[in-house]
Amino acid sequence: MKKLSVTLIAALLFSSLFISCEKDDDTTTGKFDNGVIVLNEGAYGNSNASVSWVSYKSDSVVNNVFYSVNGRSIGDVLQSAIIYRGKIYMVLNNSHKVEIASSSDFVQAGTIEGLNTPRYATVANNSLYITQWNSWGQKGAVMVYDLSSLSKIDSIPVGYGPEQILYSDGKLWVANGGGLSKDSTISVINPSNNEVEKTIEVAYSPTRFTVDANNNIWAICSGLTIYDDNFSVIGHKPSKLAMINPDNEEVEKTVDLFAEKHPTMIDINPSGNTLYFGGGWSFDGIYTLNISSTSYQGPIINGSVYGFNVNPKNGDIYCLEAPTFTAAGTLKVYNSNGGEAVKTVEVGIGPNGVLFN
Amino acid sequence: MKFKVFLVIVFIVCFRITLKAQMSIDTIKIDEVRVYGSYPDVHVVGASVLKVDTLKLLTFSNRSLADLLQSNNFNIKTYGVGGLASISTRGGSSYHTAVVWNGINIQSPMNGNVNLSMMPVTMFNSIKFQEGGSGTAYGSGAVSGVLLVNSNGILNTPNKVNVGIMYGGGNTRSVTSGIKLGNRNVAVALKLYGSKADNDYSFKNIFKYGEPKENISNAQAKQYGLLSDVSVRFTENTQWNLSGWIQHNNKNLQTIMSSTNPSQANQTDDNYAASSNFKFSFGNVAFKLKNALLDGKIDYSDPTTNNFSISEFTQFINEIEAKVAALKGGEVDINLNYTRETANADDYTSGNALRNKLSAYASLSKSFFNRKVLLSTVLRSDMIDGDFKPTTYSLGTEYNVLSFLKLKASAARVFRFPTLNDLFWANTTYAAGNPDLKPELGWNTDCGAVFHYSTNLVSVEVANTIYYTNIKDWISWISDPTDSWKYKPVNLSTGESYGDELSSSFKYHVGKFNAGVGIMYNYTHSRMYGDDDYDGQTMFYMPKHRLNGNLTLVYGGWQALFDYSYTGLRYTDAQHSLPYYNVGNLSVGKNFSISGVKTTVLFTVNNLWNESYQLIRSYAMPLRYYQISVNMELSKL
């Protein structure tokens, strides 16, 4: 029996060796001002979304920021985020929630649960507006939460697959991208009564907005790829840009883009007169358009850019590449003319955008 | 005597319950069940031997192969409680381990997997695990190891009837039942099982603020199966075995921890298998004719995403084998196999796939120096749809140095053909198959030693094996940035792994008292290499360290088993990992006899210290839960 005991104790001691060797993995700390917050989707279904921080001044990078600070993973598919009054609101698409943390140190500050495939968020009148697709076959909705109590206030029905929601000119603009169905409308919501006051018809699959120097709203409409029952491509609906006058809520200009290619991202330079568009799933390159023109230029940046954002202070273009969804993605920074990257750093898995903190 | 009648009635009643209410029934007694790496035939010679304590087998008799193997230091990936469970060894993926039933490889031709959570331990008369590459004998997929299970071979087993019931955590109820009747020339065996579980175990949600304790949702499962075997000995040299296996599994796919909305996904599996083995001999030549038909259907549904898909495969396997004694104590074995694989899936190009496989191998085994040294070599050739594939071969040897010490070594050229999913997946927005894939091809080598010493009081066994595996043209599904980031299978890189497998056992016996200690440790160094982002990457879900220890105590009719396992950190992608975990289980049981009916009552506490752990990222595993089972066997029929 003595031999027995000795053997068992040895086994337990043996195991403790591994415990001490491997327990402290994945830990990093840091403050996260003065840099960009990179949103890494992760791979759908793998619950490995993450946040990276990249310094403006150096190549310093901190990956897995939320995990490092809070000791837990953030969730599945970090679709988007906004920063408002010192807090970051992160929309986790396949976790059906919004995680809230301090945008400075990323200490967790709350969770909104019970959403149904949320996509984007914005703030108006001290309320958080979140677009969500809802279940298959259903139209989407904008869910409204009180920013202070995080309690649900309202639910506003909109079109299929609502994507970005923009608060501009005192109104909320919702791009009904179609989601798992198809749509070609933009819903205009009055935040004072949370009702849709107008639905604007545009091209197929509006996804993102930006606002130009004249306060006009630009929506990028990705168009559609059409399949038959055997998943063979049988046609396309073209991609377009739509310029909306916020005063009369009418489309005042449409720019034809590509007949069979489908860009999904749009942003604008700091002076508000040059649009950048391109990127997204299955689209190569970033193009430009002067807001007074009807013909685009480019591409000024080549390659598969999954997402991009323009620094509103200096016009630098922050491009995210997601070569695979199991290995690290890349952030490449270009000056406003594109060309070659001036900075390249490795970030999390499946990066789709940045916030300028 | 009344109790015997009662037991037979219970069997019959349980049988009806199984058919009507999908409750279960099956035998709980396994005549000889061992989990080890050795050479099930003359095909491969050389590797370590690992035996499972008998009490552990009893403890897991009402549970799945996945549970049993996990408790024996195998690396099991499980998508939650009762979810898809697969085994992977020596740095390989799940599709690198073949699962062979009655000599038939039952890996799905569509994805290379076998769900071990749908295979109850009590279904089989024999369970073995052979580490290392055995593709030369078992064909494509036997790259890292082979799990061999048999339900036939019943002519020499005693007649019996048995019934077992189990109730446990997650409102799990199962009934198992079996009957075997016959003599040395004709025998029939029937095994039935079924289970129903809510699987609403409590767990700690580590994805949520404050790590609240919650219950697993949408994980309900219903499972039933029937396995029958008939064996006939026509003459001393002529024998026929016929086996049939029907299995149904209806499983809700559990809500992952990171989701705040309950899952609504469901998967129903229906599998049918029949195999015939006819053995006869002329003079010094023994023949074996083997035919099998396998059919598997998966019906997946998720209304939240409108994802509904049905896939089905059929395999028709035909094999003839001849063995002849040669070279004074040696043996030559020649085998020819034709397999036809068909599959239908919503996601396949034109909806279906067809593959014809023809293979042949020849082996030579020979002993030397009064059987102190054994050598075996195999040469194999494969043809798929008319195209010859690379020739593979293996060599193994054993050397009995002393009565208590044996040395072993083997080397095998291993291979794996692309699955039908790899080849025939339709070109869609997000994914596309790749008909130009090459087969994976590599080496698996190992060597080891076994020390065994026993007296009337004690028995000691220590076995150690070191191995090296190198697989080129490893097939991986990755996103292709040059083609709209579609997921495609490509011959991406080289997989390399090496490691050490150590097992030891110490047993002590005096009078009515038996005690035993077993320790198993695996070290696995596994990496991917290639001209891409995966270069130098540790293989996903492959822990570097695994340790298992168990302590058994038996006194009179009482028995106790404490089982401990440690699994080290596992990478789930290039940047994230799951931390190590320790799990301990304790079982206490009492064996007694009522009117000649052997009865075992067993009480088990699983996850003694409430460890929060994951086998697949975000899939919760249960905190502490309990099980009680009663198994009865009547063998004097």
Side-chain angles (χ1 to χ4, degrees), chain A residues 81-314:
Chain A
I82 58 167
I83 293 175
Y84 182 76
R85 292 185 179 172
K87 288 182 179 173
I88 182 167
Y89 297 81
M90 295 166 283
V91 183
L92 280 303
N93 173 246
N94 199 38
S95 291
H96 311 285
K97 67 179 180 178
V98 171
E99 286 283 358
I100 304 161
S102 159
S103 60
S104 176
D105 58 17
F106 263 82
V107 172
Q108 57 196 0
T111 308
I112 296 173
E113 295 187 351
L115 299 164
N116 192 346
T117 320
R119 301 288 291 178
Y120 290 82
T122 194
V123 172
N125 297 348
N126 203 42
S127 295
L128 184 67
Y129 289 80
I130 307 162
T131 59
Q132 66 174 26
W133 282 10
N134 287 330
S135 299
W136 171 262
Q138 297 178 335
K139 284 190 170 182
V142 175
M143 310 301 287
V144 190
Y145 286 80
D146 180 77
L147 262 190
S148 306
S149 65
L150 301 182
S151 56
K152 184 180 164 186
I153 298 172
D154 212 340
S155 171
I156 310 165
V158 291
Y160 285 105
E163 297 283 357
Q164 189 178 356
I165 182 167
L166 172 76
Y167 181 52
S168 181
D169 207 49
K171 300 165 193 170
L172 291 157
W173 308 80
V174 180
N176 297 311
L180 299 172
S181 180
K182 57 186 177 183
D183 205 326
S184 56
T185 62
I186 290 169
S187 301
V188 185
I189 295 171
N190 182 344
S192 62
N193 59 13
N194 287 339
E195 290 185 357
V196 176
E197 63 180 29
K198 187 168 184 177
T199 300
I200 305 169
E201 190 72 28
V202 290
Y204 276 108
S205 309
T207 53
R208 310 285 200 284
F209 297 112
T210 193
V211 182
D212 70 17
N214 303 321
N215 208 33
N216 288 321
I217 294 167
W218 289 80
I220 186 163
C221 304
S222 301
L224 286 176
T225 303
I226 305 166
Y227 298 89
D228 65 10
D229 291 341
N230 293 323
F231 301 106
S232 298
V233 176
I234 56 173
H236 292 267
K237 295 290 183 184
S239 50
K240 297 183 179 184
L241 292 170
M243 189 192 80
I244 300 166
N245 182 334
D247 297 330
N248 60 17
E249 299 171 0
E250 297 285 344
V251 177
E252 293 199 339
K253 184 162 77 174
T254 299
V255 178
D256 291 337
L257 298 180
F258 308 99
E260 296 183 352
K261 295 198 293 183
H262 308 288
T264 56
M265 305 290 177
I266 189 170
D267 209 338
I268 200 161
N269 67 344
S271 56
N273 57 13
T274 301
L275 295 171
Y276 296 88
F277 66 90
W281 185 271
S282 74
F283 183 88
D284 285 349
I286 291 177
Y287 296 76
T288 62
L289 176 79
N290 187 289
I291 60 171
S292 59
S293 173
T294 54
S295 60
Y296 58 84
Q297 305 294 316
I300 62 163
I301 294 170
N302 292 307
S304 300
V305 177
Y306 190 51
F308 77 91
N309 296 90
V310 178
N311 188 330
K313 290 182 178 173
N314 62 15

Side-chain angles (χ1 to χ4, degrees), chain B residues 445-520:
Chain B
T445 60
D446 59 32
C447 64
V450 182
F451 169 85
H452 180 85
Y453 175 76
S454 62
T455 68
N456 289 336
L457 286 179
V458 297
S459 168
V460 179
E461 183 164 302
V462 179
N464 193 69
T465 301
I466 56 173
Y467 66 88
Y468 174 79
T469 303
N470 187 296
I471 312 292
K472 297 197 185 309
D473 293 321
W474 190 292
I475 298 171
S476 299
W477 282 71
I478 61 164
S479 183
D480 181 1
T482 65
D483 186 10
S484 306
W485 282 317
K486 290 177 185 176
Y487 277 98
K488 292 179 178 177
V490 291
N491 293 106
L492 183 69
S493 47
T494 296
E496 182 186 72
S497 59
Y498 56 85
D500 187 275
E501 296 158 349
L502 172 69
S503 69
S504 60
S505 67
F506 174 83
K507 292 177 182 172
Y508 178 75
H509 166 78
V510 59
K512 292 182 177 179
F513 179 72
N514 286 278
V517 173
I519 295 175
M520 287 169 275

